Amino acid sequence: MKKMLRPQLMLVFCLVFFSTQAYAQETKCRLNIGASLHPYYSWVKNIVGDEANVTSIIPPGSDPHAYQPVPSDMQKLENLDAVIINGVGHDEFIKPMLKAIENDKLVVIDTSKGLPLIPVFGKHYAFDEKDGKVSYNSHTYIAITGAIQQMQMIARKLGRLCPDQAGVFVKNVRAYSMKLRNMLQSALMRIDMLDLNNLRIATVHDGYSYLFQELGIEVSAVVQPRHGVKPSARQLQDTIKRIKRAKVNVLFGELDYEKKYVDIIYKETGCRLYALSHISNGEYTKEFFEQAMQRNIDAIIAALTEVSRGSNPGDMSGQMQDNMSRQMQNASQQMQNSVQENLKDSVPTMQQKQMNERMNQQVQDTTKQMQKTVQEKLKDSIPTMQQKQMNERMNQQLRDTKAQMQGAMQEGLKETMPEMQQQQMKGRMNQQVQDMQKGVLDNVAPGAPQQQGKGQ
Amino acid sequence: MNNADTQECKEVIVAPLAAGREVLGLAVVICCIFLLAGLRHVQVAPKEDVTAKISYQIKDVRLKNQAPVLYRSLLGAVDSITWTYEAGGNWPEISELQTESLPPFVGDFLPAGLRGFSWEMHQGETWVDYYGSNKEVAQEEKQGADPLENSFILRIIDLRAGKYPYPYIQGAQEDRFTAQIWMNPQIVDYSEGPLVERGWKWVVSGNSAVNGKVRESTGS
């Protein structure tokens, strides 16, 4: 009798267990969270993992400063439980949307609340001691320490909305904070090794004060007073004066900043030019923030390294050159490895020749195409004097890389391989050539998407 | 004939009317304009920031040199500390925070100028103070370097515990904890008792959620 009961008991137990699990799944809190800017999307994705749905309010590629909401955006907001906003002027488009929306349960998480803010650069915009009016810099997300504080606040508020997930959110935010802190620590260590007694920097756009502050770097001048505000002739003249007076030797800009201003400043002051990302344009991904921040940090360190070395101010952009060189070498190395791996097996001798020729042709075509595209990009971003030097060096680098690639291929093709593998290899090589080309273009516009809007 | 002409063309000088009324009218209009402008100013002027008016407070935008970095870093540490407290029931020791690689208790995460800080933990009844001072920089200042904010206290108060140190924020009750950053321009050792009386300044943010109503009476 007992033996008969045992399987039945087991069955009942299993049924109870699985139904409880299913019920728990059904009742599990699952938030719908909206993000007004790219960094917030990345942060929230890292905080909630797969435990909530995260959506961007505006489509990728849109400029948050000039964005005009459409009805579908309102529909998005209607379905959200929480929305993450900047709160100090970087996502003004969302304010009328929040006013108009009929969603009483929507929780607005203002990331600037409780965050120490930096006044906008310059005497015209800084706080006035008497009336206490302060105009704050809205780029609170282009920083690591600030990002961590904001993420902690977001995690706390989301935890309140969804108490059963609060522990997961806290755990995730602590892990992600550690990752970001390590990035900062690594940057500070690299900066420590440099002699920066002569460093004086200016930025085209007042968007990086938080980042520079935590790196212990002072910004001496800002060219563009505010988003989309082009400097007047007088402001430009003042800026040039300030750059000269402060002996600024590095200018951090954005590639979409109008070339004529950069040219004027470069011509008048001889500053080196480096590009930083504004982290508010491109695809929405979990990794977007950390990748963009890493690129910015790399660009800053490249600039500081060059100042530390005391190289000629008229020299070409070191950051671009270094990054391009590094990425081209990486791509070349990957390609060689791929070729050698695929060539472990054999192909008929005749096919070897044909393949070799085709690959050589492909490398030559790609090289030409890369040169052409890079030159076109450079026309809009780098002062003319720098372009010539850069072109020469780039040509030399491309020649070297090409020679390396061809050599590796010929070496690898001494052996043979089956026809199927040839096809696979060809596909992979095409992909890698494309990656290589993309890498070079990314370097020319580090962190900046191809069709970034102006005035960021 | 001549006499008749002279009589016809007799010059008559008409004295101007007294302008007093017009002047008065103009003055009234000008006064009205000023009055309206004043009313409008009162209407649109930002509300007074009560917290920043208190003598022992300082706005974060007034911090000099690298002090804002340390301030920011201390604020960033609050959640990690409170989470540890909630999980374990005890305020974490400095060594614990260092093991967790939490800035500013680990100097590697700060710019070079802020790495001279040494930290101590002092526990109150319902709060904890993390006190840090930068004695290295103080030595340099004696030799003529720019003065810096050299002593900081991060005070975290458990608002559910009931007895709070003076002063504290009333109105931030939706959170269990409230954090205060105190700064002293001098190198001062930590001692028990109200910080206000020992020259410490409470750093407040103009945009802070901490800008609730400061409780002036009671406390420990």
Side-chain angles (χ1 to χ4, degrees):
Chain A
M1 185 67 182
K2 277 184 182 176
K3 281 182 182 175
M4 283 180 72
L5 275 175
R6 202 171 285 164
Q8 287 169 350
L9 276 172
M10 285 291 286
L11 187 66
V12 169
F13 175 76
C14 286
L15 280 170
V16 169
F17 178 77
F18 287 116
S19 59
T20 313
Q21 288 288 311
Y23 178 74
Q25 284 289 331
E26 274 177 24
T27 55
K28 203 175 173 184
C29 173
R30 189 165 183 89
L31 294 171
N32 290 314
I33 307 161
S36 67
L37 297 174
H38 282 75
Y40 306 152
Y41 181 91
S42 296
W43 297 349
V44 176
K45 267 284 185 192
N46 280 285
I47 292 168
V48 300
D50 298 326
E51 305 297 332
N53 306 320
V54 189
T55 48
S56 58
I57 305 294
I58 61 172
S62 304
D63 179 1
H65 307 303
Y67 187 71
Q68 293 295 320
V70 292
S72 62
D73 298 332
M74 293 298 289
Q75 210 168 0
K76 267 187 205 170
L77 276 183
E78 296 281 355
N79 300 323
L80 294 178
D81 299 302
V83 62
I84 319 292
I85 65 164
N86 174 265
V88 268
H90 212 90
D91 48 8
E92 289 298 291
F93 66 87
I94 206 160
K95 284 187 178 173
M97 291 170 75
L98 291 173
K99 273 185 187 171
I101 194 176
E102 291 173 2
N103 180 359
D104 296 335
K105 68 180 177 73
L106 178 69
V107 174
V108 179
I109 301 178
D110 180 348
T111 54
S112 69
K113 283 285 172 211
L115 192 72
L117 302 174
I118 298 177
V120 173
F121 192 95
K123 60 184 177 183
H124 302 298
Y125 303 99
F127 62 93
D128 180 343
E129 197 158 336
K130 283 180 185 170
D131 63 11
K133 282 181 192 171
V134 184
S135 185
Y136 289 113
N137 190 325
S138 65
H139 303 84
T140 51
Y141 54 85
I142 311 183
I144 290 178
T145 313
I148 290 169
Q149 198 191 340
Q150 290 171 78
M151 281 191 292
Q152 288 173 340
M153 193 261 279
I154 294 168
R156 216 182 321 125
K157 298 213 167 177
L158 293 179
R160 263 187 224 143
L161 289 175
C162 200
D164 56 334
Q165 304 280 13
V168 177
F169 297 164
V170 168
K171 189 182 158 196
N172 289 346
V173 83
R174 289 180 94 161
Y176 191 55
S177 299
M178 182 67 81
K179 193 177 181 183
L180 294 179
R181 279 190 191 115
N182 288 337
M183 189 193 289
L184 177 63
Q185 186 194 19
S186 161
L188 288 166
M189 280 171 64
R190 286 155 78 189
I191 291 171
D192 278 354
M193 289 187 283
L194 305 172
D195 173 16
L196 301 175
N197 285 329
N198 299 321
L199 177 71
R200 300 283 184 279
I201 68 162
T203 57
V204 162
H205 169 53
D206 189 16
Y208 311 100
S209 300
Y210 293 94
L211 178 59
F212 282 120
Q213 190 186 64
E214 67 188 5
L215 293 175
I217 298 165
E218 190 186 350
V219 179
S220 303
V222 172
V223 177
Q224 189 185 25
R226 281 195 173 182
H227 287 299
V229 178
K230 290 175 185 173
S232 64
R234 189 173 176 179
Q235 279 174 330
L236 200 60
Q237 199 181 9
D238 283 349
T239 304
I240 289 166
K241 272 184 193 168
R242 269 185 283 145
I243 287 176
K244 281 181 177 173
R245 194 168 49 231
K247 296 179 181 173
V248 168
N249 41 19
V250 179
L251 177 64
F252 287 98
E254 290 173 20
L255 285 174
D256 60 337
Y257 188 66
E258 282 194 45
K259 182 179 169 271
K260 65 177 180 182
Y261 299 126
V262 177
D263 267 343
I264 292 168
I265 294 166
Y266 177 75
K267 195 179 168 187
E268 293 293 324
T269 64
C271 279
R272 297 176 186 88
L273 175 72
Y274 295 85
L276 296 177
S277 163
H278 199 251
I279 323 188
S280 58
N281 211 319
E283 289 299 317
Y284 289 91
T285 63
K286 188 180 175 184
E287 298 80 18
F288 182 83
F289 174 74
E290 59 193 86
Q291 287 170 350
M293 282 301 287
Q294 189 60 62
R295 275 198 297 269
N296 278 349
I297 286 173
D298 288 344
I300 291 168
I301 288 173
L304 303 190
T305 307
E306 209 165 325
V307 172
S308 170
R309 284 179 194 152
S311 55
N312 175 21
D315 205 358
M316 65 172 279
S317 167
Q319 178 253 330
M320 288 183 188
Q321 190 189 21
D322 288 351
N323 274 357
M324 280 175 67
S325 170
R326 197 183 323 123
Q327 286 208 359
M328 285 174 73
Q329 280 169 8
N330 288 345
S332 165
Q333 188 63 46
Q334 279 176 10
M335 206 164 162
Q336 286 174 18
N337 292 343
S338 173
V339 169
Q340 280 164 3
E341 196 171 323
N342 282 310
L343 284 171
K344 279 177 189 167
D345 298 316
S346 56
V347 288
T349 321
M350 272 183 72
Q351 283 184 345
Q352 276 182 41
K353 281 185 184 175
Q354 289 173 351
M355 207 169 151
N356 200 357
E357 280 166 17
R358 273 189 223 158
M359 284 170 81
N360 282 338
Q361 188 58 46
Q362 203 175 25
V363 168
Q364 280 168 11
D365 292 347
T366 311
T367 308
K368 278 179 193 169
Q369 202 183 342
M370 277 161 68
Q371 282 175 314
K372 195 180 166 190
T373 320
V374 168
Q375 279 166 5
E376 276 171 14
K377 273 268 169 193
L378 285 172
K379 275 179 192 168
D380 299 329
S381 58
I382 305 287
T384 321
M385 282 176 71
Q386 288 187 343
Q387 283 181 32
K388 283 183 186 173
Q389 293 169 335
M390 197 163 170
N391 280 344
E392 280 167 19
R393 292 195 192 185
M394 207 175 67
N395 283 335
Q396 183 58 45
Q397 274 188 348
L398 286 168
R399 280 198 293 272
D400 294 346
T401 313
K402 193 178 108 183
Q404 276 179 6
M405 285 159 68
Q406 284 176 337
M409 284 172 206
Q410 280 164 4
E411 187 80 21
L413 283 168
K414 281 176 187 169
E415 295 173 24
T416 52
M417 66 185 214
E419 198 170 349
M420 269 183 73
Q421 283 189 342
Q422 281 179 44
Q423 295 296 330
Q424 288 172 351
M425 187 180 151
K426 199 176 166 187
R428 278 187 212 169
M429 287 187 70
N430 281 336
Q431 184 58 45
Q432 292 213 2
V433 167
Q434 280 169 13
D435 288 347
M436 191 171 160
Q437 196 177 355
K438 191 172 173 285
V440 173
L441 292 175
D442 283 348
N443 269 318
V444 173
Q450 308 268 327
Q451 293 174 338
Q452 204 166 1
K454 289 189 176 185
Q456 283 190 1
Chain B
M1 183 72 184
N2 282 342
N3 282 342
D5 286 349
T6 309
Q7 277 176 354
E8 281 175 17
C9 300
K10 189 177 178 183
E11 189 179 355
V12 178
I13 297 171
V14 180
L17 288 172
R21 206 184 300 168
E22 284 78 1
V23 168
L24 188 67
L26 186 65
V28 168
V29 169
I30 290 170
C31 284
C32 286
I33 290 169
F34 276 108
L35 186 69
L36 287 173
L39 286 172
R40 180 66 183 151
H41 176 74
V42 170
Q43 196 183 1
V44 299
K47 286 178 186 172
E48 239 179 77
D49 188 351
V50 178
T51 52
K53 295 284 182 189
I54 297 171
S55 61
Y56 54 78
Q57 290 187 330
I58 183 173
K59 277 193 172 182
D60 58 356
V61 286
R62 306 243 178 266
L63 293 177
K64 288 176 284 181
N65 299 311
Q66 291 189 332
V69 182
L70 193 72
Y71 170 63
R72 200 176 292 278
S73 184
L74 282 169
L75 280 177
V78 172
D79 277 310
S80 294
I81 293 170
T82 55
W83 285 331
T84 310
Y85 177 75
E86 282 180 306
N90 294 314
W91 295 109
E93 298 281 344
I94 298 292
S95 56
E96 211 175 322
L97 300 175
Q98 286 170 338
T99 309
E100 208 186 319
S101 300
L102 190 69
F105 307 102
V106 180
D108 293 351
F109 299 94
L110 297 170
L114 294 171
R115 290 186 198 151
F117 273 85
S118 56
W119 295 93
E120 299 165 9
M121 188 192 88
H122 298 273
Q123 203 167 327
E125 284 175 73
T126 59
W127 72 95
V128 67
D129 283 348
Y130 292 96
Y131 159 78
S133 60
N134 194 353
K135 287 174 181 161
E136 286 176 16
V137 177
Q139 285 298 324
E140 288 170 20
E141 280 175 25
K142 282 180 186 170
Q143 294 161 7
D146 287 344
L148 298 166
E149 287 88 354
N150 288 322
S151 304
F152 279 84
I153 289 176
L154 166 62
R155 172 169 285 180
I156 304 174
I157 305 167
D158 183 353
L159 294 170
R160 285 189 195 163
K163 200 175 180 186
Y164 317 124
Y166 166 80
Y168 75 98
I169 294 289
Q170 197 178 40
Q173 302 286 354
E174 63 169 356
D175 288 316
R176 178 179 174 182
F177 302 98
T178 184
Q180 303 171 354
I181 312 280
W182 292 78
M183 179 278 295
N184 199 312
Q186 309 297 325
I187 289 286
V188 286
D189 289 330
Y190 184 84
S191 61
E192 303 293 332
L195 298 173
V196 177
E197 291 170 12
R198 287 177 287 138
W200 287 83
K201 296 280 183 190
W202 181 359
V203 188
V204 292
S205 166
N207 189 50
S208 175
V210 180
N211 277 350
K213 193 175 177 184
V214 178
R215 184 143 182 156
E216 286 286 358
S217 58
T218 72
S220 64

